[in-house]
Amino acid sequence: MIDDIDDTNAFVERIAKTLRTDEHADSSFRTTVMTAVQNLARTEGVADQPRLSPSGGTRLAERRMPRWWKRSYWIRITPLSGFAVAASALIVAVGLFMLSGYSLASGRRPQEVAVRRETVHDSVRDTVHIVRFVFVDSSARSVSLVGEFNQWQKDATALRAGTRPGVWTVDVPLTGGRHEYAYIVRDAQGEHWIADPIAETRLDDFGTESSVISVGIPTT
Amino acid sequence: MAPRLDADLIADVLGGHVDAYGVLVKRYQDAYVRFAVRMLGNRDDADDALQSAFVRGFRALASCKDPNRFSAWLYQIVINECRTLVARRARRERRFVRDEDELHARPAPAEPGTVGDLEEIQRALDHLDAEQREAFVLKHVEELSYEEMAALTGANVSALKMRVKRACDRLRQLLDPARSYS
C-alpha cells in the first residue's frame, strides 16, 4: 500500500517536473495588449469611470435596478423542428407582442402579467437553436445583447426596434446548454446593464448580475 | 530606483495614466503563460486567453478591491478566461484526441522527465476533464497549496483534492497503463 502511494507520488512528480518547463510571453505580447487597452481607453474612457466589468456589465453599485416596465421574453426554436415549430414560434411571438402591447397600454404592473416563455426542446445538444430575445422598454434609444456567445461585446448583437413602440428583438443562434447574458440599454439617462428580470440570475466574481438561459435542456 | 508597487500603478491608471498599465502587463505577462498553455494545450489559445484576461483586467481595474493583491485578482481572471475558452472550444470543435484508441495508438511516450515527452504528457493532460486538469496544474505544476487553489477557483478544498486525485489516476491510466491496473 505504502509502496503504491510512493510509486504514484514519484510518477506524478516526474510528469509535473516536465510540465513545469518555463513558458514566456512573446515579445509582442505587451504591445498587443496595450494597443487594445489604448483603444479601449479612447472609446470608453479610463478605468475609473463607470464602465463595463470583465463580464461586460457596470459594477453592481452603479447599476440601476430594472424599472418595472422593462421586461423581456425569449423564444427558442430548433431548425430540426421544421415548419410546425416555426409556425408555433410565430404564434407565440405574436402572442407576446400582443401581451406586451396590452400591458403597456393598460398600465398593468408586470406581476399581473403572465409572462410566457415558450420552449422547444431537442435532445441533440449540439443542435443550433435560434433564440429570439424580446425586450420591452418604451424609453430605450437602443438595446443590445451581451453574453458568452458574443464574448460580452456590447455592440456585437443589437436588438432591432419592432413596429410596436418600445419592442426590441433579435434572433441569436445558440448551441445547447446554459448561456449567460444581459441587456445593455441606452436611454436619455445613459447606458444601463439590465439582467433579464424573468430569468435565472447569477453573480460573477465581480458582483455583476447576469441572466442564464438554458437551451435544449428540459426545465422542471 | 525601487520598482513601483502594484497599488501605485493601479492608482495611476485609474487617474487616467493608461501607460502605467503597461508596467503591470510587463510585470505579470510571464507569470501565467505556463498555466494557460497547460490548460489550453497550445500556445495560440493561451496567448488569446492571456491577452483577453489583461484587457478585461484593465476594464475592471476599478473593481479590484485590494490593489496590493492585484496579481491574485488577475490570476482569477486568467483562470476564468481559460475556463471560458475551454468550454467554448469543447462545444465548437469536439475533435481533440477524444478517442482513447487514438491516444494509445501514438508512439509510446519517452520516460517522463525528458524534454521530448512534454508533448505527450500535454496530450494526456488535454484528455482530462477541464476541472481535473485545472486542479492538477494548479497543484502540481504551479505548486499552489489547496487553500490558495480554493481562494482562486472558488471550489472547496476537499473537492479540489478529489479532482487532483482523479487527475493523477487518469494520467497514470493514459501514460502508464500497465502500472495503473496492476
Side-chain angles (χ1 to χ4, degrees), chain A residues 76-135:
Chain A
R76 286 169 265 187
I77 311 162
T78 73
L80 294 177
S81 306
F83 287 113
V85 171
S88 302
L90 185 61
I91 291 166
V92 170
V94 170
L96 289 173
F97 272 65
M98 293 175 67
L99 182 66
S100 64
Y102 174 65
S103 65
L104 287 170
S106 65
R108 288 171 62 183
R109 297 182 66 83
Q111 298 92 298
E112 300 165 358
V113 177
V115 178
R116 277 196 246 165
R117 281 177 277 171
E118 295 293 334
T119 306
V120 178
H121 299 301
D122 195 296
S123 59
V124 183
R125 295 289 298 271
D126 287 341
T127 298
V128 172
H129 301 249
I130 306 300
V131 180
R132 172 162 295 175
F133 291 83
V134 182
F135 190 84

Short mmCIF file of all heavy atoms in Angstrom, two decimals, chain A residues 76-135:
data_model
loop_
_atom_site.label_atom_id
_atom_site.label_comp_id
_atom_site.label_asym_id
_atom_site.label_seq_id
_atom_site.Cartn_x
_atom_site.Cartn_y
_atom_site.Cartn_z
N ARG A 76 -37.41 29.97 -28.07
CA ARG A 76 -36.39 29.11 -28.65
C ARG A 76 -36.96 28.25 -29.76
O ARG A 76 -38.01 27.67 -29.61
CB ARG A 76 -35.76 28.24 -27.58
CG ARG A 76 -34.83 29.01 -26.69
CD ARG A 76 -34.47 28.19 -25.51
NE ARG A 76 -35.35 28.50 -24.40
CZ ARG A 76 -35.18 28.02 -23.19
NH1 ARG A 76 -34.21 27.23 -22.93
NH2 ARG A 76 -35.99 28.35 -22.23
N ILE A 77 -36.25 28.18 -30.84
CA ILE A 77 -36.72 27.41 -32.00
C ILE A 77 -35.56 26.55 -32.49
O ILE A 77 -34.47 27.05 -32.65
CB ILE A 77 -37.14 28.34 -33.15
CG1 ILE A 77 -38.07 29.44 -32.65
CG2 ILE A 77 -37.77 27.56 -34.27
CD1 ILE A 77 -38.17 30.60 -33.60
N THR A 78 -35.78 25.26 -32.74
CA THR A 78 -34.70 24.45 -33.34
C THR A 78 -35.02 24.26 -34.81
O THR A 78 -36.17 24.06 -35.19
CB THR A 78 -34.58 23.06 -32.68
OG1 THR A 78 -35.67 22.27 -33.12
CG2 THR A 78 -34.56 23.15 -31.19
N PRO A 79 -33.97 24.32 -35.62
CA PRO A 79 -34.18 24.11 -37.06
C PRO A 79 -34.78 22.74 -37.34
O PRO A 79 -35.54 22.56 -38.28
CB PRO A 79 -32.76 24.22 -37.64
CG PRO A 79 -32.00 25.02 -36.64
CD PRO A 79 -32.60 24.67 -35.30
N LEU A 80 -34.45 21.74 -36.50
CA LEU A 80 -34.91 20.37 -36.73
C LEU A 80 -36.43 20.26 -36.64
O LEU A 80 -37.04 19.35 -37.16
CB LEU A 80 -34.28 19.43 -35.69
CG LEU A 80 -32.77 19.26 -35.79
CD1 LEU A 80 -32.28 18.36 -34.66
CD2 LEU A 80 -32.39 18.67 -37.13
N SER A 81 -37.01 21.18 -35.94
CA SER A 81 -38.44 21.07 -35.73
C SER A 81 -39.27 21.55 -36.91
O SER A 81 -40.49 21.41 -36.89
CB SER A 81 -38.82 21.85 -34.47
OG SER A 81 -38.03 21.43 -33.40
N GLY A 82 -38.63 22.15 -37.89
CA GLY A 82 -39.30 22.46 -39.14
C GLY A 82 -40.39 23.49 -39.06
O GLY A 82 -40.43 24.32 -38.15
N PHE A 83 -41.28 23.39 -40.04
CA PHE A 83 -42.29 24.43 -40.18
C PHE A 83 -43.26 24.50 -39.01
O PHE A 83 -43.72 25.57 -38.64
CB PHE A 83 -43.09 24.19 -41.46
CG PHE A 83 -42.30 24.52 -42.70
CD1 PHE A 83 -41.92 23.50 -43.58
CD2 PHE A 83 -41.93 25.81 -42.98
CE1 PHE A 83 -41.18 23.79 -44.71
CE2 PHE A 83 -41.19 26.10 -44.12
CZ PHE A 83 -40.81 25.09 -44.99
N ALA A 84 -43.55 23.33 -38.45
CA ALA A 84 -44.50 23.32 -37.33
C ALA A 84 -44.01 24.19 -36.19
O ALA A 84 -44.75 24.99 -35.62
CB ALA A 84 -44.74 21.89 -36.85
N VAL A 85 -42.73 24.04 -35.89
CA VAL A 85 -42.16 24.83 -34.81
C VAL A 85 -42.12 26.31 -35.19
O VAL A 85 -42.41 27.19 -34.39
CB VAL A 85 -40.74 24.31 -34.46
CG1 VAL A 85 -40.04 25.25 -33.50
CG2 VAL A 85 -40.84 22.93 -33.88
N ALA A 86 -41.72 26.55 -36.45
CA ALA A 86 -41.66 27.94 -36.90
C ALA A 86 -43.02 28.60 -36.75
O ALA A 86 -43.14 29.75 -36.29
CB ALA A 86 -41.18 28.00 -38.35
N ALA A 87 -44.05 27.85 -37.15
CA ALA A 87 -45.40 28.39 -37.04
C ALA A 87 -45.77 28.63 -35.58
O ALA A 87 -46.34 29.66 -35.22
CB ALA A 87 -46.39 27.43 -37.69
N SER A 88 -45.40 27.66 -34.73
CA SER A 88 -45.69 27.81 -33.30
C SER A 88 -44.98 29.03 -32.73
O SER A 88 -45.55 29.81 -31.97
CB SER A 88 -45.24 26.56 -32.53
OG SER A 88 -45.87 25.44 -33.04
N ALA A 89 -43.71 29.17 -33.12
CA ALA A 89 -42.94 30.30 -32.60
C ALA A 89 -43.55 31.61 -33.05
O ALA A 89 -43.58 32.58 -32.29
CB ALA A 89 -41.50 30.20 -33.08
N LEU A 90 -44.01 31.62 -34.30
CA LEU A 90 -44.62 32.84 -34.80
C LEU A 90 -45.85 33.19 -33.99
O LEU A 90 -46.07 34.35 -33.61
CB LEU A 90 -44.99 32.65 -36.28
CG LEU A 90 -45.53 33.89 -36.99
CD1 LEU A 90 -44.49 35.00 -36.99
CD2 LEU A 90 -45.95 33.55 -38.40
N ILE A 91 -46.64 32.17 -33.70
CA ILE A 91 -47.85 32.40 -32.90
C ILE A 91 -47.47 32.91 -31.52
O ILE A 91 -48.05 33.87 -31.01
CB ILE A 91 -48.67 31.09 -32.79
CG1 ILE A 91 -49.26 30.75 -34.15
CG2 ILE A 91 -49.77 31.23 -31.74
CD1 ILE A 91 -49.80 29.34 -34.24
N VAL A 92 -46.45 32.29 -30.94
CA VAL A 92 -46.01 32.74 -29.61
C VAL A 92 -45.51 34.17 -29.67
O VAL A 92 -45.82 35.00 -28.82
CB VAL A 92 -44.89 31.80 -29.09
CG1 VAL A 92 -44.26 32.37 -27.83
CG2 VAL A 92 -45.46 30.43 -28.79
N ALA A 93 -44.71 34.46 -30.71
CA ALA A 93 -44.16 35.81 -30.83
C ALA A 93 -45.27 36.84 -30.94
O ALA A 93 -45.25 37.88 -30.28
CB ALA A 93 -43.22 35.88 -32.04
N VAL A 94 -46.24 36.53 -31.81
CA VAL A 94 -47.37 37.43 -31.97
C VAL A 94 -48.11 37.60 -30.64
O VAL A 94 -48.47 38.70 -30.23
CB VAL A 94 -48.33 36.91 -33.07
CG1 VAL A 94 -49.62 37.71 -33.07
CG2 VAL A 94 -47.65 36.99 -34.42
N GLY A 95 -48.26 36.45 -29.95
CA GLY A 95 -48.92 36.50 -28.64
C GLY A 95 -48.17 37.39 -27.67
O GLY A 95 -48.77 38.18 -26.95
N LEU A 96 -46.88 37.27 -27.67
CA LEU A 96 -46.08 38.09 -26.76
C LEU A 96 -46.16 39.56 -27.12
O LEU A 96 -46.21 40.43 -26.25
CB LEU A 96 -44.64 37.61 -26.76
CG LEU A 96 -44.38 36.25 -26.10
CD1 LEU A 96 -42.94 35.82 -26.33
CD2 LEU A 96 -44.68 36.32 -24.62
N PHE A 97 -46.14 39.82 -28.42
CA PHE A 97 -46.28 41.21 -28.84
C PHE A 97 -47.61 41.79 -28.35
O PHE A 97 -47.67 42.89 -27.82
CB PHE A 97 -46.21 41.30 -30.38
CG PHE A 97 -44.82 41.44 -30.89
CD1 PHE A 97 -43.91 40.42 -30.71
CD2 PHE A 97 -44.40 42.58 -31.55
CE1 PHE A 97 -42.62 40.52 -31.17
CE2 PHE A 97 -43.10 42.71 -32.01
CZ PHE A 97 -42.20 41.68 -31.83
N MET A 98 -48.64 40.99 -28.53
CA MET A 98 -49.96 41.46 -28.10
C MET A 98 -49.99 41.63 -26.59
O MET A 98 -50.52 42.60 -26.06
CB MET A 98 -51.04 40.47 -28.54
CG MET A 98 -51.20 40.44 -30.07
SD MET A 98 -52.37 39.18 -30.59
CE MET A 98 -53.88 39.84 -29.93
N LEU A 99 -49.35 40.68 -25.91
CA LEU A 99 -49.31 40.71 -24.45
C LEU A 99 -48.59 41.97 -23.98
O LEU A 99 -49.06 42.68 -23.10
CB LEU A 99 -48.59 39.47 -23.93
CG LEU A 99 -48.48 39.30 -22.42
CD1 LEU A 99 -49.86 39.10 -21.83
CD2 LEU A 99 -47.58 38.12 -22.08
N SER A 100 -47.42 42.24 -24.60
CA SER A 100 -46.66 43.41 -24.18
C SER A 100 -47.44 44.67 -24.50
O SER A 100 -47.47 45.61 -23.71
CB SER A 100 -45.30 43.43 -24.86
OG SER A 100 -45.45 43.56 -26.25
N GLY A 101 -48.07 44.70 -25.68
CA GLY A 101 -48.85 45.87 -26.05
C GLY A 101 -49.99 46.10 -25.08
O GLY A 101 -50.24 47.22 -24.64
N TYR A 102 -50.66 45.03 -24.68
CA TYR A 102 -51.78 45.16 -23.75
C TYR A 102 -51.32 45.69 -22.42
O TYR A 102 -51.91 46.61 -21.86
CB TYR A 102 -52.46 43.80 -23.58
CG TYR A 102 -53.53 43.79 -22.53
CD1 TYR A 102 -54.70 44.55 -22.69
CD2 TYR A 102 -53.37 43.07 -21.36
CE1 TYR A 102 -55.66 44.57 -21.71
CE2 TYR A 102 -54.34 43.09 -20.37
CZ TYR A 102 -55.49 43.83 -20.56
OH TYR A 102 -56.43 43.86 -19.58
N SER A 103 -50.17 45.13 -21.94
CA SER A 103 -49.72 45.56 -20.62
C SER A 103 -49.26 47.00 -20.64
O SER A 103 -49.49 47.74 -19.70
CB SER A 103 -48.60 44.65 -20.13
OG SER A 103 -47.46 44.80 -20.95
N LEU A 104 -48.61 47.40 -21.73
CA LEU A 104 -48.16 48.78 -21.80
C LEU A 104 -49.34 49.73 -21.90
O LEU A 104 -49.41 50.77 -21.25
CB LEU A 104 -47.24 48.98 -23.02
CG LEU A 104 -45.84 48.36 -22.90
CD1 LEU A 104 -45.14 48.42 -24.25
CD2 LEU A 104 -45.04 49.12 -21.85
N ALA A 105 -50.29 49.33 -22.77
CA ALA A 105 -51.43 50.20 -22.99
C ALA A 105 -52.30 50.30 -21.74
O ALA A 105 -52.82 51.37 -21.42
CB ALA A 105 -52.26 49.67 -24.16
N SER A 106 -52.41 49.20 -21.02
CA SER A 106 -53.31 49.21 -19.88
C SER A 106 -52.62 49.66 -18.61
O SER A 106 -53.28 49.94 -17.62
CB SER A 106 -53.85 47.79 -19.65
OG SER A 106 -52.77 46.94 -19.28
N GLY A 107 -51.28 49.74 -18.65
CA GLY A 107 -50.54 50.17 -17.48
C GLY A 107 -50.53 49.16 -16.36
O GLY A 107 -50.25 49.50 -15.23
N ARG A 108 -50.79 47.90 -16.70
CA ARG A 108 -50.76 46.88 -15.65
C ARG A 108 -49.33 46.64 -15.21
O ARG A 108 -48.41 46.65 -15.99
CB ARG A 108 -51.37 45.57 -16.20
CG ARG A 108 -52.85 45.64 -16.38
CD ARG A 108 -53.36 44.43 -17.10
NE ARG A 108 -53.11 43.21 -16.36
CZ ARG A 108 -53.42 42.00 -16.84
NH1 ARG A 108 -53.98 41.88 -18.02
NH2 ARG A 108 -53.19 40.95 -16.12
N ARG A 109 -49.16 46.39 -13.93
CA ARG A 109 -47.84 46.10 -13.44
C ARG A 109 -47.45 44.68 -13.85
O ARG A 109 -48.31 43.84 -14.07
CB ARG A 109 -47.80 46.26 -11.91
CG ARG A 109 -48.10 47.66 -11.48
CD ARG A 109 -48.01 47.78 -9.99
NE ARG A 109 -46.65 47.58 -9.50
CZ ARG A 109 -45.73 48.54 -9.49
NH1 ARG A 109 -46.04 49.75 -9.95
NH2 ARG A 109 -44.54 48.31 -9.03
N PRO A 110 -46.14 44.41 -13.99
CA PRO A 110 -45.73 43.12 -14.54
C PRO A 110 -46.15 41.92 -13.71
O PRO A 110 -46.31 40.83 -14.22
CB PRO A 110 -44.19 43.23 -14.59
CG PRO A 110 -43.84 44.36 -13.70
CD PRO A 110 -45.01 45.28 -13.71
N GLN A 111 -46.31 42.12 -12.40
CA GLN A 111 -46.73 40.99 -11.57
C GLN A 111 -48.10 40.47 -12.02
O GLN A 111 -48.45 39.34 -11.79
CB GLN A 111 -46.85 41.39 -10.10
CG GLN A 111 -45.54 41.85 -9.48
CD GLN A 111 -45.36 43.33 -9.59
OE1 GLN A 111 -45.29 43.87 -10.69
NE2 GLN A 111 -45.32 44.00 -8.47
N GLU A 112 -48.87 41.37 -12.63
CA GLU A 112 -50.21 40.98 -13.07
C GLU A 112 -50.21 40.41 -14.48
O GLU A 112 -51.23 39.99 -14.97
CB GLU A 112 -51.13 42.21 -13.03
CG GLU A 112 -51.24 42.81 -11.63
CD GLU A 112 -51.82 44.20 -11.67
OE1 GLU A 112 -52.10 44.71 -12.75
OE2 GLU A 112 -52.00 44.78 -10.60
N VAL A 113 -49.04 40.45 -15.11
CA VAL A 113 -48.98 39.99 -16.49
C VAL A 113 -48.34 38.62 -16.53
O VAL A 113 -47.27 38.41 -15.97
CB VAL A 113 -48.13 40.98 -17.33
CG1 VAL A 113 -48.01 40.47 -18.76
CG2 VAL A 113 -48.76 42.36 -17.30
N ALA A 114 -49.00 37.70 -17.14
CA ALA A 114 -48.44 36.35 -17.26
C ALA A 114 -47.36 36.37 -18.32
O ALA A 114 -47.63 36.52 -19.50
CB ALA A 114 -49.52 35.36 -17.65
N VAL A 115 -46.11 36.27 -17.91
CA VAL A 115 -45.00 36.28 -18.84
C VAL A 115 -44.80 34.87 -19.35
O VAL A 115 -44.59 33.96 -18.58
CB VAL A 115 -43.71 36.78 -18.16
CG1 VAL A 115 -42.55 36.73 -19.13
CG2 VAL A 115 -43.92 38.20 -17.66
N ARG A 116 -44.85 34.73 -20.64
CA ARG A 116 -44.76 33.39 -21.22
C ARG A 116 -43.36 33.14 -21.76
O ARG A 116 -42.77 33.99 -22.38
CB ARG A 116 -45.76 33.26 -22.37
CG ARG A 116 -47.14 32.92 -21.93
CD ARG A 116 -47.92 32.44 -23.11
NE ARG A 116 -48.98 33.38 -23.42
CZ ARG A 116 -49.65 33.38 -24.55
NH1 ARG A 116 -49.34 32.55 -25.49
NH2 ARG A 116 -50.62 34.23 -24.75
N ARG A 117 -42.87 31.96 -21.54
CA ARG A 117 -41.62 31.55 -22.17
C ARG A 117 -41.89 30.22 -22.85
O ARG A 117 -42.12 29.22 -22.19
CB ARG A 117 -40.49 31.41 -21.16
CG ARG A 117 -39.89 32.71 -20.78
CD ARG A 117 -38.84 32.51 -19.73
NE ARG A 117 -39.43 32.43 -18.43
CZ ARG A 117 -38.77 32.09 -17.34
NH1 ARG A 117 -37.51 31.81 -17.41
NH2 ARG A 117 -39.36 32.05 -16.19
N GLU A 118 -41.91 30.23 -24.14
CA GLU A 118 -42.19 29.00 -24.88
C GLU A 118 -40.88 28.35 -25.27
O GLU A 118 -40.00 28.99 -25.82
CB GLU A 118 -43.02 29.30 -26.13
CG GLU A 118 -44.41 29.82 -25.81
CD GLU A 118 -45.28 28.80 -25.15
OE1 GLU A 118 -45.04 27.59 -25.35
OE2 GLU A 118 -46.18 29.20 -24.42
N THR A 119 -40.76 27.08 -24.99
CA THR A 119 -39.50 26.39 -25.23
C THR A 119 -39.73 25.16 -26.08
O THR A 119 -40.65 24.40 -25.84
CB THR A 119 -38.87 25.96 -23.91
OG1 THR A 119 -38.77 27.10 -23.07
CG2 THR A 119 -37.49 25.37 -24.13
N VAL A 120 -38.89 24.99 -27.07
CA VAL A 120 -38.91 23.78 -27.86
C VAL A 120 -37.64 23.02 -27.52
O VAL A 120 -36.55 23.51 -27.70
CB VAL A 120 -38.95 24.09 -29.36
CG1 VAL A 120 -38.92 22.80 -30.16
CG2 VAL A 120 -40.19 24.90 -29.68
N HIS A 121 -37.76 21.83 -26.97
CA HIS A 121 -36.59 21.09 -26.55
C HIS A 121 -36.12 20.13 -27.63
O HIS A 121 -36.90 19.64 -28.41
CB HIS A 121 -36.90 20.27 -25.29
CG HIS A 121 -37.29 21.14 -24.15
ND1 HIS A 121 -36.46 22.10 -23.66
CD2 HIS A 121 -38.43 21.21 -23.43
CE1 HIS A 121 -37.06 22.72 -22.66
NE2 HIS A 121 -38.27 22.19 -22.52
N ASP A 122 -34.84 19.89 -27.64
CA ASP A 122 -34.28 18.92 -28.55
C ASP A 122 -33.23 18.15 -27.80
O ASP A 122 -32.47 18.69 -27.03
CB ASP A 122 -33.65 19.63 -29.76
CG ASP A 122 -33.40 18.65 -30.87
OD1 ASP A 122 -32.59 17.73 -30.70
OD2 ASP A 122 -34.05 18.80 -31.91
N SER A 123 -33.21 16.85 -28.00
CA SER A 123 -32.26 16.03 -27.25
C SER A 123 -30.84 16.16 -27.78
O SER A 123 -29.89 15.75 -27.15
CB SER A 123 -32.68 14.57 -27.28
OG SER A 123 -32.73 14.15 -28.62
N VAL A 124 -30.68 16.70 -28.96
CA VAL A 124 -29.34 16.83 -29.54
C VAL A 124 -28.72 18.12 -29.03
O VAL A 124 -29.11 19.20 -29.42
CB VAL A 124 -29.41 16.83 -31.08
CG1 VAL A 124 -28.00 16.91 -31.65
CG2 VAL A 124 -30.14 15.61 -31.56
N ARG A 125 -27.73 17.99 -28.15
CA ARG A 125 -27.16 19.17 -27.51
C ARG A 125 -26.38 20.04 -28.49
O ARG A 125 -26.21 21.22 -28.25
CB ARG A 125 -26.24 18.73 -26.36
CG ARG A 125 -26.95 18.04 -25.24
CD ARG A 125 -27.80 19.03 -24.49
NE ARG A 125 -26.99 20.09 -23.88
CZ ARG A 125 -26.47 20.01 -22.68
NH1 ARG A 125 -26.66 18.95 -21.96
NH2 ARG A 125 -25.76 20.99 -22.20
N ASP A 126 -25.88 19.47 -29.57
CA ASP A 126 -25.08 20.27 -30.50
C ASP A 126 -25.92 20.99 -31.53
O ASP A 126 -25.41 21.73 -32.35
CB ASP A 126 -24.06 19.38 -31.20
CG ASP A 126 -22.94 19.00 -30.25
OD1 ASP A 126 -22.77 19.67 -29.23
OD2 ASP A 126 -22.26 18.02 -30.53
N THR A 127 -27.21 20.76 -31.51
CA THR A 127 -28.08 21.46 -32.44
C THR A 127 -28.02 22.96 -32.18
O THR A 127 -27.97 23.39 -31.04
CB THR A 127 -29.53 20.97 -32.25
OG1 THR A 127 -29.57 19.59 -32.54
CG2 THR A 127 -30.48 21.73 -33.16
N VAL A 128 -28.00 23.71 -33.26
CA VAL A 128 -28.06 25.16 -33.09
C VAL A 128 -29.52 25.57 -32.93
O VAL A 128 -30.36 25.17 -33.72
CB VAL A 128 -27.42 25.87 -34.29
CG1 VAL A 128 -27.64 27.37 -34.20
CG2 VAL A 128 -25.94 25.56 -34.36
N HIS A 129 -29.80 26.30 -31.88
CA HIS A 129 -31.15 26.75 -31.61
C HIS A 129 -31.21 28.25 -31.91
O HIS A 129 -30.33 28.99 -31.52
CB HIS A 129 -31.51 26.54 -30.14
CG HIS A 129 -31.41 25.10 -29.70
ND1 HIS A 129 -32.51 24.35 -29.37
CD2 HIS A 129 -30.34 24.29 -29.55
CE1 HIS A 129 -32.11 23.14 -29.03
NE2 HIS A 129 -30.81 23.08 -29.12
N ILE A 130 -32.24 28.65 -32.60
CA ILE A 130 -32.44 30.07 -32.83
C ILE A 130 -33.30 30.60 -31.67
O ILE A 130 -34.44 30.17 -31.51
CB ILE A 130 -33.14 30.34 -34.17
CG1 ILE A 130 -32.38 29.66 -35.32
CG2 ILE A 130 -33.25 31.84 -34.41
CD1 ILE A 130 -30.96 30.11 -35.50
N VAL A 131 -32.74 31.47 -30.89
CA VAL A 131 -33.45 32.00 -29.73
C VAL A 131 -33.80 33.46 -29.99
O VAL A 131 -32.93 34.26 -30.35
CB VAL A 131 -32.57 31.90 -28.46
CG1 VAL A 131 -33.32 32.46 -27.25
CG2 VAL A 131 -32.15 30.46 -28.21
N ARG A 132 -35.06 33.77 -29.87
CA ARG A 132 -35.49 35.16 -30.06
C ARG A 132 -35.57 35.86 -28.71
O ARG A 132 -36.31 35.43 -27.83
CB ARG A 132 -36.84 35.23 -30.76
CG ARG A 132 -37.43 36.64 -30.82
CD ARG A 132 -38.52 36.77 -31.85
NE ARG A 132 -37.97 36.58 -33.18
CZ ARG A 132 -38.70 36.53 -34.29
NH1 ARG A 132 -40.01 36.68 -34.22
NH2 ARG A 132 -38.14 36.34 -35.45
N PHE A 133 -34.79 36.90 -28.56
CA PHE A 133 -34.82 37.71 -27.35
C PHE A 133 -35.69 38.93 -27.62
O PHE A 133 -35.50 39.63 -28.61
CB PHE A 133 -33.41 38.17 -26.97
CG PHE A 133 -32.51 37.05 -26.50
CD1 PHE A 133 -31.84 36.26 -27.42
CD2 PHE A 133 -32.32 36.80 -25.16
CE1 PHE A 133 -31.01 35.23 -27.00
CE2 PHE A 133 -31.49 35.78 -24.72
CZ PHE A 133 -30.83 34.99 -25.65
N VAL A 134 -36.66 39.13 -26.75
CA VAL A 134 -37.57 40.27 -26.91
C VAL A 134 -37.49 41.11 -25.65
O VAL A 134 -37.68 40.61 -24.54
CB VAL A 134 -39.03 39.79 -27.12
CG1 VAL A 134 -39.95 40.99 -27.34
CG2 VAL A 134 -39.11 38.82 -28.28
N PHE A 135 -37.20 42.38 -25.82
CA PHE A 135 -37.07 43.28 -24.67
C PHE A 135 -38.04 44.44 -24.88
O PHE A 135 -38.11 45.00 -25.96
CB PHE A 135 -35.63 43.79 -24.57
CG PHE A 135 -35.35 44.53 -23.30
CD1 PHE A 135 -35.00 43.85 -22.15
CD2 PHE A 135 -35.45 45.91 -23.24
CE1 PHE A 135 -34.74 44.51 -20.97
CE2 PHE A 135 -35.19 46.58 -22.07
CZ PHE A 135 -34.83 45.89 -20.93
#
